[in-house]
């Protein structure tokens, strides 16, 4: 089984359980906060990924750490993931789970990447425009990329809208190369 399929299998199983329990959104929130805790602290991450720690000890630790802090579905799921030695895939499982929830809710995932934060008003305008264009609700995440010269990139489902300065410059370069302006034409 490929690495990509592993996260999809686990995410699908959790999605089915959460759908039966009518807790899609709350399961996502709980899983997201636990994944943040597990992966934000380097010592916790290393503990669960270490081949030197006994697997049954990892399972007991995971069970104790989520007990009372998460629903039964999420607590059992985390314990299962640790038991099956799939801890490394938790972040990918969360992303696949989110995609599944979005599909079920007829919602699209919108990621806006810009050099600097665009501000709430601009994000709201972009969100409204994309939402009406695609005819569905969108879940927005904003990300900054200091390597961008300016402008922004929008990723929605399988689409990319590249409104970055770099893309515009590349377009101008391509147009100029297509025209094949003779050397010395600007002298």
């Amino acid at each position: 089984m490929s690495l990509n399929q592993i996260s999809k299998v686990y995410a699908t199983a959790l999605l089915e359980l959460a759908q039966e329990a009518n807790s899609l959104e709350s399961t996502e929130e709980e899983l997201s906060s636990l994944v943040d805790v597990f992966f934000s602290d380097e010592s916790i991450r290393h503990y669960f990924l270490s081949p030197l720690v006994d697997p049954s000890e990892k399972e007991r630790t995971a069970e104790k750490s989520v007990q009372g802090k998460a629903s039964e579905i999420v607590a059992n799921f985390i314990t299962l993931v640790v038991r099956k030695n799939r801890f490394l895939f938790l972040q990918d499982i969360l992303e696949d789970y989110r995609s599944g929830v979005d599909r079920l809710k007829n919602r699209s995932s919108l990621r806006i990447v810009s050099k600097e934060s665009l501000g709430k008003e601009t994000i709201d305008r972009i969100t409204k425009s994309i939402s009406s264009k695609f005819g569905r609700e969108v879940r927005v995440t904003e990300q900054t990329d200091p390597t961008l010269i300016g402008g922004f990139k929008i990723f929605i489902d399988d689409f990319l809208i590249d409104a970055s300065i770099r893309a515009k410059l590349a377009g101008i370069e391509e147009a100029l190369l297509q025209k094949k302006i003779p050397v010395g034409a600007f002298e």
Side-chain angles (χ1 to χ4, degrees):
M1 186 179 301
S2 77
L3 300 179
N4 192 21
Q5 288 176 324
I6 291 172
S7 63
K8 288 191 185 319
V9 167
Y10 280 84
T12 301
L14 181 60
L15 195 63
E16 289 174 6
L17 288 171
Q19 194 172 14
E20 285 176 17
N22 199 23
S23 64
L24 289 171
E25 306 278 335
S26 62
T27 298
E28 180 183 345
E29 289 171 17
E30 289 176 21
L31 184 62
S32 179
S33 64
L34 287 172
V35 167
D36 286 346
V37 168
F38 285 139
F39 285 88
S40 64
D41 188 333
E42 204 165 309
S43 60
I44 294 173
R45 189 176 73 244
H46 285 303
Y47 173 82
F48 283 107
L49 294 175
S50 174
L52 302 175
V53 178
D54 181 45
S56 60
E57 183 63 32
K58 289 181 193 179
E59 184 180 343
R60 282 192 297 275
T61 302
E63 190 174 354
K64 286 179 186 175
S65 65
V66 296
Q67 203 170 40
K69 295 181 179 96
S71 66
E72 185 178 348
I73 291 173
V74 175
N76 290 340
F77 181 77
I78 294 290
T79 305
L80 174 74
V81 167
V82 171
R83 179 183 318 128
K84 296 292 186 178
N85 198 24
R86 302 292 194 222
F87 181 82
L88 180 62
F89 300 102
L90 261 177
Q91 291 173 312
D92 294 331
I93 291 169
L94 174 61
E95 287 308 310
D96 288 337
Y97 181 85
R98 281 183 176 146
S99 295
V101 170
D102 287 345
R103 265 192 318 280
L104 290 172
K105 299 274 185 183
N106 193 30
R107 181 171 54 199
S108 291
S109 179
L110 171 69
R111 185 167 51 109
I112 303 172
V113 181
S114 59
K115 182 171 181 72
E116 298 173 352
S117 180
L118 297 176
K120 183 170 176 27
E121 186 177 307
T122 305
I123 298 267
D124 288 344
R125 272 197 345 249
I126 292 170
T127 303
K128 184 184 266 186
S129 174
I130 295 292
S131 181
S132 66
K133 184 133 186 115
F134 282 81
R136 55 175 51 178
E137 180 186 339
V138 293
R139 179 200 314 237
V140 181
T141 54
E142 184 181 14
Q143 184 180 355
T144 57
D145 181 359
T147 64
L148 286 177
I149 298 170
F152 55 87
K153 294 180 181 181
I154 296 175
F155 299 87
I156 180 160
D157 296 333
D158 293 334
F159 298 101
L160 165 65
I161 301 168
D162 193 345
S164 66
I165 300 295
R166 179 171 288 142
K168 290 181 184 195
L169 289 173
I172 292 169
E173 178 185 33
E174 183 65 31
L176 288 173
L177 290 173
Q178 291 298 321
K179 295 215 183 236
K180 296 182 181 173
I181 299 171
V183 177
F186 292 111
E187 293 180 58

